[in-house]
Amino acid sequence: MEFQAGVVTVSDKGSRGEREDLSGKEVVRMLQELSILVRETVIIPDEQDQIRQTLIDLSDKKGLDLIVTTGGTGVTPRDLTPDATLEVIDKALPGMAEAMRQESLKKTPHAMISRAVVGIRGQTLIINLPGSPRGVRENLAVVLPALKHALEKIKGDETECATP
């Protein structure tokens, strides 16, 4: 199966052109290495309504298989990506978010304050990642081994799951 993705960078400074989007570029690079076609990349401010609407548009209107967000997963008042994601998903996939936090804890105690979530909207997998290139690399690397399998199952593949 071929999968199509969107990358959403959530950053006030990035959306105003005050900061280069290195995190979004890192997500694109990593997905392309998996032969996932990145069809959409957007940079939006930390506004819950705009995040929510972007996720809905990319899922429902663009029909993307995967949306990866970067930024807005912490605890500051402007970190609203998980809140918006929770508003739009039909099912949570806590195992992926827990795995990312568990692996991140080996590198920094700050992983404890990540609120990143992973979930499914219709037939679209949505993954929240931190806003730094390093955080993107470390967290996305954790879920990559299960990513294509998850996308196949979300799309309706009912074949038996075999252990790799």
Side-chain angles (χ1 to χ4, degrees), residues 31-89:
L31 293 179
Q32 287 175 337
E33 284 182 0
L34 267 185
S35 297
I36 294 175
L37 175 65
V38 178
R39 273 194 29 212
E40 299 279 337
T41 58
V42 295
I43 305 173
I44 59 174
D46 294 273
E47 295 292 340
Q48 190 166 341
D49 290 343
Q50 192 168 354
I51 300 165
R52 180 180 58 247
Q53 193 57 54
T54 299
L55 296 175
I56 291 169
D57 290 347
L58 293 175
S59 173
D60 299 3
K61 293 180 182 171
K62 300 284 185 174
L64 299 180
D65 305 303
L66 172 66
I67 301 168
V68 180
T69 69
T70 174
T73 60
V75 295
T76 72
R78 298 286 294 160
D79 288 331
L80 300 169
T81 304
D83 307 275
T85 303
L86 288 169
E87 289 180 6
V88 303
I89 61 172

Side-chain angles (χ1 to χ4, degrees), residues 22-158:
L22 299 176
S23 300
K25 289 177 182 177
E26 187 64 15
V27 174
V28 170
R29 183 191 66 76
M30 292 179 76
L31 293 179
Q32 287 175 337
E33 284 182 0
L34 267 185
S35 297
I36 294 175
L37 175 65
V38 178
R39 273 194 29 212
E40 299 279 337
T41 58
V42 295
I43 305 173
I44 59 174
D46 294 273
E47 295 292 340
Q48 190 166 341
D49 290 343
Q50 192 168 354
I51 300 165
R52 180 180 58 247
Q53 193 57 54
T54 299
L55 296 175
I56 291 169
D57 290 347
L58 293 175
S59 173
D60 299 3
K61 293 180 182 171
K62 300 284 185 174
L64 299 180
D65 305 303
L66 172 66
I67 301 168
V68 180
T69 69
T70 174
T73 60
V75 295
T76 72
R78 298 286 294 160
D79 288 331
L80 300 169
T81 304
D83 307 275
T85 303
L86 288 169
E87 289 180 6
V88 303
I89 61 172
D90 305 315
K91 294 180 185 177
L93 287 180
M96 284 185 150
E98 291 163 6
M100 290 189 297
R101 270 187 284 281
Q102 181 180 2
E103 191 60 29
S104 292
L105 274 170
K106 295 176 184 177
K107 296 169 176 69
T108 176
H110 297 162
M112 284 184 255
I113 63 173
S114 169
R115 298 183 317 113
V117 297
V118 179
I120 303 165
R121 177 180 176 83
Q123 290 191 327
T124 303
L125 178 63
I126 301 172
I127 300 174
N128 296 160
L129 297 175
S132 72
R134 178 179 164 199
V136 164
R137 275 190 302 278
E138 292 174 354
N139 284 268
L140 190 52
V142 173
V143 298
L144 285 182
L147 185 60
K148 284 195 170 182
H149 180 72
L151 293 170
E152 290 167 354
K153 293 301 174 187
I154 291 166
K155 286 294 188 192
D157 179 359
E158 295 182 12

